[in-house]
Amino acid sequence: QILESGDAETLVRFAEVFGTELHKAGLTKSQVRGVFGTVRQLSAGWEYTEPRQKLRRLLLLKPRLAYQSARESKVRPLADVLSRAIDLVAQAHEPDEQRKRFGYFVDLFEAILAYHTAAGGK
């Protein structure tokens, strides 16, 4: 619902609960900093990158998330949510729909990290 329709209210409610849970589970910002940095780079260059290349770079985040969650079990819940979100972006067949869903994905990731930090995450 968040990625398909851009429901901001649902996004905020989910991010608040999930970000707080990640903090309580002991997840640190440094455990997701590399992935978040890549997402920010993708976001900054989304309009100027060839569509197949955008999707390729986004999909390649999934193995990185899997690796991080295998190294540190606290990362698994975030990796699962982000991997499902990446799949939803990739399932959009039209470039405009992919762009919208990717924007919602970035919003979701940023909101989760914001609430994680607000809950005391370091």
Side-chain angles (χ1 to χ4, degrees):
Q1 191 176 16
I2 293 169
L3 289 170
E4 291 177 345
S5 67
D7 185 344
E9 288 179 18
T10 302
L11 183 150
V12 170
R13 281 193 309 270
F14 174 80
E16 183 174 16
V17 170
F18 191 61
T20 302
E21 287 176 4
L22 291 174
H23 165 67
K24 288 178 183 175
L27 184 73
T28 65
K29 270 197 219 178
S30 64
Q31 291 170 316
V32 292
R33 189 171 287 140
V35 174
F36 186 69
T38 301
V39 169
R40 296 299 292 160
Q41 287 176 346
L42 274 168
S43 179
W46 191 264
E47 297 299 321
Y48 309 106
T49 307
E50 189 265 325
R52 282 186 16 192
Q53 191 66 11
K54 288 184 252 195
L55 192 56
R56 179 182 183 280
R57 290 189 62 208
L58 181 62
L59 288 170
L60 286 173
L61 288 177
K62 289 177 67 173
R64 183 184 292 182
L65 289 165
Y67 171 75
Q68 286 182 335
S69 64
R71 288 189 62 206
E72 183 61 58
S73 62
K74 293 180 258 186
V75 177
R76 179 158 309 283
L78 180 64
D80 290 344
V81 166
L82 294 179
S83 291
R84 286 194 308 260
I86 289 168
D87 289 341
L88 287 170
V89 172
Q91 288 170 5
H93 298 292
E94 297 297 320
D96 284 343
E97 183 64 22
Q98 277 185 353
R99 180 185 49 76
K100 280 190 338 190
R101 288 184 185 189
F102 179 72
Y104 300 148
F105 168 77
V106 173
D107 292 344
L108 176 64
F109 198 176
E110 287 177 342
I112 290 168
L113 289 179
Y115 280 115
H116 172 265
T117 301
K122 297 179 180 181

